[in-house]
Amino acid sequence: MKYQVQVEISLKKGMLNPEASTIQRALALLDYEVEDTATVEIVKFTLEAANPDVAREEVVQMCERLLCNPVIHDYQIQMEAAGD
């Protein structure tokens, strides 16, 4: 069965985020008030697996081995069955 997967990767709370800080300063220069900014990377792909549990475990392995650094990143997985 095929699954549509979306992984959202962000820095863990308390980690410095220079990109978000730069965005916040730029918005302030444009007279926009923003209290908090964060950046999130979104990775989307289709995965084929025997069942949802196997698919989720494969995505977790992808995240922890390749897509992010589990020491500094958090990730959220969204997955749904894809039409064949």
Side-chain angles (χ1 to χ4, degrees):
M1 175 155 224
K2 290 185 180 182
Y3 299 91
Q4 294 286 359
V5 180
Q6 177 174 302
V7 180
E8 293 183 9
I9 303 166
S10 61
L11 286 174
K12 288 187 175 189
K13 188 172 179 82
M15 297 299 297
L16 294 177
N17 189 340
E19 184 179 12
S21 297
T22 301
I23 291 168
Q24 188 170 2
R25 283 192 305 273
L27 289 170
L29 289 172
L30 296 170
D31 292 328
Y32 294 106
E33 288 190 36
V34 179
E35 289 185 21
D36 191 21
T37 57
T39 56
V40 176
E41 180 179 353
I42 297 175
V43 180
K44 295 181 180 183
F45 56 92
T46 302
L47 174 72
E48 192 161 331
N51 61 56
D53 293 332
V54 171
R56 182 164 295 279
E57 182 57 34
E58 286 186 26
V59 175
V60 167
Q61 290 297 315
M62 288 177 193
C63 289
E64 296 191 0
R65 297 177 69 193
L66 177 67
L67 297 177
C68 67
N69 178 345
V71 174
I72 63 170
H73 292 114
D74 285 326
Y75 59 88
Q76 293 186 351
I77 300 169
Q78 298 175 26
M79 191 173 64
E80 62 182 47
D84 287 329

